[in-house]
Amino acid sequence: MLKISLAQINPTVGDLAGNTRKILEYTALAQKTGAQLVVFPELAVCGYPPEDLLLKKHFVADNIKALDALAKKVRGISVITGFVDSDAGGKIYNAAAIISDGKLQGVYYKQELPNYGVFDEKRYFSLGKNPGIWTVNGVKIGINICEDIWVDGAVYQAQAKAGAKILVNISSSPYQAGKLKERQELLARRARETKKHLVYVNTVGGQDELVFDGGSMVISPDGAVLARAVQFEETLLNVDLSSKNNQVAPALESSEDIYKALVLGTRDYAAKNGFKKAALGLSGGVDSALVACIACDAFGPDNVTAISMPSPFNSKATRQDARALAKNLKIELKEIPIKKIFASYLKTMVPYFAGLAADTAEENIQARIRGNILMAMANKFGGLILTTGNKSEMAVGYCTLYGDMSGGYAVIKDVFKTKVYELARFRNSMSRTPLIPKSVLLRAPSAELRSNQTDEETLGPYEELDKVLTAYIEDRCSPQDMVASGMDAKLVARTIRLVDMNEYKRRQAPPGVKITSRAFGKDWRLPITNKYKE
Amino acid sequence: MLKISLAQINPTVGDLAGNTRKILEYTALAQKTGAQLVVFPELAVCGYPPEDLLLKKHFVADNIKALDALAKKVRGISVITGFVDSDAGGKIYNAAAIISDGKLQGVYYKQELPNYGVFDEKRYFSLGKNPGIWTVNGVKIGINICEDIWVDGAVYQAQAKAGAKILVNISSSPYQAGKLKERQELLARRARETKKHLVYVNTVGGQDELVFDGGSMVISPDGAVLARAVQFEETLLNVDLSSKNNQVAPALESSEDIYKALVLGTRDYAAKNGFKKAALGLSGGVDSALVACIACDAFGPDNVTAISMPSPFNSKATRQDARALAKNLKIELKEIPIKKIFASYLKTMVPYFAGLAADTAEENIQARIRGNILMAMANKFGGLILTTGNKSEMAVGYCTLYGDMSGGYAVIKDVFKTKVYELARFRNSMSRTPLIPKSVLLRAPSAELRSNQTDEETLGPYEELDKVLTAYIEDRCSPQDMVASGMDAKLVARTIRLVDMNEYKRRQAPPGVKITSRAFGKDWRLPITNKYKE
């Protein structure tokens, strides 16, 4: 049987030179280990998803040129890699190239184009029709791309019937919690169905809101995992199909995989956009504490600046917690009090606000002063501002546009508040002494924009709220269904109203890592103007 | 021949009760005029585009219920209207209902689903197959939906061959400059090709970034315009196909149609989201002057507040112009100087900024103080904040995130700076005495964030810049093509670099009216993380 290397690489969208260089490096590495075939992920040459770059003819042409140059350098090994191909009529295809002996031996075009969730492939690609079967070192293999293996009865079946001994699927399958298990079950089913070996190579790395978690694997015809690559890391997995002693990386625990996704998404967004440093507002609350931990793991403590911007409404306890956390994390903490700036706003607004009760206006002024200070520090000293809002807040609009929503990357925007606590406890469990002070985890959450404020007096208990939000956002339940399943009717009605009316805020939010089946990104396309009352 | 009413209505997305009420009102109106058939636009029952509301089963079910209730009330006239239908398997269709005698007589499903530009119809809808031919008052008609008439050889052709005397197309076709002419030429071609009467009914109204301009029309088999409805207004156009004396509304001039699109888009975004008032920062420059005019035409002068927020860098001349404009427009002008707040920021930042040269950080602090003040006024007194940035600025990032980009609706975000001048002159030409002071139109544009600053010293002449931007954004030209066509190579390279690197700012911008073939909205899906160097 073939000796195959699964090249789980981290390409960058648009970086044609860098990606092909990486493909050649991994090809040389695979060759050194004696592999006869090395397999790269879907669209590895141009990165995934290239979105509207695909509408530029010169982009597609440049990616083909890059592939041709790459092909000329391949000798003594076969390479399968994803790229974009075009035909004489100008149609373009999500394609797999089979390369050996310094030239392109064949091309397969994806037949199933996902156009749901975060995917828009029908916006760009035409459907392929060729069978995708080639012989490598005397072994017949069937090549297909991502969605081709997800759709029942798709091309993989025809390839198996046509006598392919091995089915190779190249993917760029985005992470969401539980996805590795879902993929593995699917692949095992396909292997048993076709009685073939299944080689699955996934991209790894962050691209805007998406994280690709890798987890490439080989499944034997009986559905067993013959080999599996580590998740969230670039790696070359060498597999001998006839051996039972291939590497099987352990599957990650539930909090661990989410945490690693957040770190990788943040690290790659920064690195691929030229940021080496990050800064964030540290309040002493659990959200910013978790983001500070993620930032340290993504950038290293020396490259993270925490900025505490206390107002008279911030308790001594939260300020102390912020200091303790910064000390534990070994990150720099700057204190920039906002009291005087706030006073100057109030004074300036006297001609208009005098005699009126303080309300959201005054609360938001404070949040926006903090946003302005963070951005001023970024403008002056460089670095990426990380926002610290969680998904529960983003959903119901419990956040200030241009205030705490100011920043380049919203690390935990897809993490519900209850999950924030879980992840904070998980991160604490990873260090000998907990990084996040216990008091942060025990104190009732508060925005501290007025005296004695707590989140839950406004929003209800997070345990309940997050259940309603999950049902509404991810499961698309109707309020009737939710109430029937035991949720409080008033909470359901109020929560739906808040989610709907705050669409305008989410539209202006920075990107952040998708970890659920439905994040507030490309997989959430609700109109702002919307009078549907459920 | 039939007497037909074209009901060019303005539905609201999700407002099932309101939309069906409107359909019944217009049906009654049509009946009064003696019409035998009244035709409503695509998806009139639920509004267009409903986006991910379509993924909720209960939304689709509610829209079918609304249609069924409507059907029961139709007597003595035939109605064609758009709605969403679903089949037993849960697939949904962009559908046209034929109603008479209190019941649904038939349903046609759209066969061509646009999935490019601002359209995502393959995300939601399945393809229809039925012929779409019904007989109304003894006349055979072929019914098709929007894209069905745009694709050569699509269902309209089969309908004509099958003996339909009249082809009815119901549309929700978004406005862009020059679109009416484009549609009319297409429809004339189809009429001549099929030798049939063509009845085209389009939606009117604003929905987030889209404006539907109406311009419904009837074309005779020789390609001539038999009747045409006014653009940008709700109207019922009664047409007698056998008469030559039907109403043909005059086509609008180029600046007039863009101006009306901006007013309607702004008015509907506000009205459909519950805003009766608007406020904007008035600088004395041409952008905010134009937006103030549009705001007055959209809300009425009594409902518009202009806020001037001078700093020491604002010239006396621009402040005077702001006052003169407010007076001409009869809108309230509030002056809120930012000098003291700015000073308090600088003082607070001394521990970090002392000894460092003033740079973008200090400029942006000022812009963000203004954003904070505008939002505080909105929080305190209600009203929609209109931002005043133009497309040239949005393209190259010559704007401050959370500063002048703060607000609910970005009225002229799709209007290039050169076009802003044209529209300002056009609006001046509509009043007996010009509203916008001449000096505003003559002064070199400046952000006034430091002394003696002008836009063009940073960006190059707007005349040149806008040409490069149009080629890059709308025509997707490569830099080689642009230089070959005579553009300055350095300007081209710098501009492309700026557009690419400022994607992150645009991602956090408020929505605004699309008027070009490619706005920075749903028809511009570029990755933020993007290392493609053209």
Side-chain angles (χ1 to χ4, degrees), chain A residues 398-450:
Chain A
Y398 197 69
C399 49
T400 302
L401 200 49
Y402 325 127
D404 54 307
M405 289 175 68
S406 299
Y409 205 65
V411 178
I412 56 170
K413 75 184 276 194
D414 198 33
V415 183
F416 284 120
K417 185 76 171 190
T418 44
K419 185 64 84 177
V420 169
Y421 280 102
E422 279 178 42
L423 293 174
R425 286 195 200 95
F426 163 76
R427 187 62 188 86
N428 269 359
S429 76
M430 297 298 288
S431 306
R432 254 194 326 182
T433 55
L435 297 169
I436 302 173
K438 217 171 174 179
S439 44
V440 172
L441 299 172
L442 295 176
R443 187 182 304 112
S446 165
E448 295 197 319
L449 290 169
R450 59 173 189 268

Side-chain angles (χ1 to χ4, degrees), chain B residues 401-426:
Chain B
L401 200 50
Y402 325 127
D404 54 307
M405 288 175 68
S406 299
Y409 206 66
V411 178
I412 56 171
K413 77 183 274 193
D414 198 33
V415 183
F416 283 120
K417 185 76 172 192
T418 44
K419 185 63 83 176
V420 168
Y421 280 102
E422 278 179 41
L423 293 174
R425 286 195 199 93
F426 162 77

Side-chain angles (χ1 to χ4, degrees), chain B residues 399-468:
Chain B
C399 49
T400 303
L401 200 50
Y402 325 127
D404 54 307
M405 288 175 68
S406 299
Y409 206 66
V411 178
I412 56 171
K413 77 183 274 193
D414 198 33
V415 183
F416 283 120
K417 185 76 172 192
T418 44
K419 185 63 83 176
V420 168
Y421 280 102
E422 278 179 41
L423 293 174
R425 286 195 199 93
F426 162 77
R427 185 63 188 83
N428 269 359
S429 76
M430 298 299 288
S431 307
R432 256 195 324 180
T433 54
L435 296 170
I436 302 173
K438 215 171 174 176
S439 44
V440 172
L441 299 172
L442 295 174
R443 187 182 305 114
S446 165
E448 295 195 321
L449 290 170
R450 58 173 189 266
S451 304
N452 302 316
Q453 189 181 25
T454 73
D455 296 4
E456 299 197 337
E457 78 192 2
T458 306
L459 303 175
Y462 276 117
E463 286 286 346
E464 302 305 313
L465 178 71
D466 287 354
K467 277 182 203 155
V468 173

Side-chain angles (χ1 to χ4, degrees), chain A residues 356-403:
Chain A
L356 300 174
D359 59 11
T360 334
E362 284 79 3
E363 295 183 26
N364 285 343
I365 287 175
Q366 297 167 68
R368 292 186 179 118
I369 292 170
R370 293 193 176 109
N372 199 340
I373 290 174
L374 282 176
M375 293 304 293
M377 293 296 281
N379 285 154
K380 197 60 112 186
F381 303 108
L384 178 68
I385 299 296
L386 304 176
T387 69
T388 62
N390 60 60
K391 186 171 190 174
S392 312
E393 294 173 355
M394 289 293 296
V396 298
Y398 197 69
C399 49
T400 302
L401 200 49
Y402 325 127

Side-chain angles (χ1 to χ4, degrees), chain A residues 69-113:
Chain A
L70 184 161
K72 287 204 180 77
K73 294 178 186 158
V74 173
R75 302 274 166 190
I77 187 168
S78 292
V79 171
I80 295 174
T81 183
F83 77 112
V84 188
D85 204 4
S86 70
D87 64 17
K91 286 185 181 168
I92 66 169
Y93 302 87
N94 186 333
I98 334 301
I99 301 167
S100 64
D101 297 326
K103 61 183 192 215
L104 194 60
Q105 303 292 344
V107 172
Y108 167 77
Y109 296 156
K110 192 173 184 177
Q111 300 193 4
E112 304 291 338
L113 299 174

Side-chain angles (χ1 to χ4, degrees), chain A residues 13 52 56 58 62 117 123 207-208 273 344 357 362 364 379-380 402 407 472 525 528-529 531-532 534, chain B residues 13 52 56 58 62 117 123 208 273 344 357 362 364 379-380 402 407 472 525 528-529 531-532 534:
Chain A
V13 165
D52 278 5
K56 302 183 191 210
H58 47 291
D62 286 348
R123 179 175 173 88
Q207 169 63 23
D208 290 352
N273 285 289
S344 74
E362 284 79 3
N364 285 343
N379 285 154
K380 197 60 112 186
Y402 325 127
Y472 187 58
R525 305 185 191 178
I528 300 177
T529 304
K531 289 203 177 174
Y532 181 52
E534 321 210 9
Chain B
V13 165
D52 277 5
K56 302 183 193 213
H58 47 291
D62 285 348
R123 180 176 172 87
D208 290 350
N273 285 290
S344 74
E362 284 80 3
N364 285 342
N379 285 155
K380 198 59 113 185
Y402 325 127
Y472 188 57
R525 304 184 191 178
I528 299 176
T529 304
K531 287 204 176 173
Y532 182 52
E534 321 208 13

Side-chain angles (χ1 to χ4, degrees), chain B residues 87-145:
Chain B
D87 64 18
K91 285 185 182 171
I92 66 167
Y93 302 89
N94 185 331
I98 335 300
I99 301 166
S100 65
D101 297 326
K103 60 181 194 217
L104 194 59
Q105 303 292 345
V107 172
Y108 167 77
Y109 295 156
K110 193 173 184 177
Q111 300 192 4
E112 305 290 338
L113 299 174
N115 205 66
Y116 55 82
V118 301
F119 303 108
D120 281 314
E121 293 200 15
K122 288 184 180 167
R123 180 176 172 87
Y124 309 107
F125 297 119
S126 295
L127 288 174
K129 280 179 193 151
N130 64 1
I133 294 185
W134 279 270
T135 301
V136 175
N137 283 51
V139 181
K140 227 175 177 180
I141 59 173
I143 299 173
N144 50 67
I145 304 178

Side-chain angles (χ1 to χ4, degrees), chain A residues 9 29 32 99 123 162 172 177 213 235 238 265 302 317 328 347 357 387 397-398 463 529:
Chain A
I9 61 165
L29 220 58
K32 259 190 210 161
I99 301 167
R123 179 175 173 88
S172 286
D213 53 318
T235 187
N238 298 310
D302 290 349
N328 294 349
K347 208 168 159 192
T387 69
Y398 197 69
E463 285 288 345
T529 304

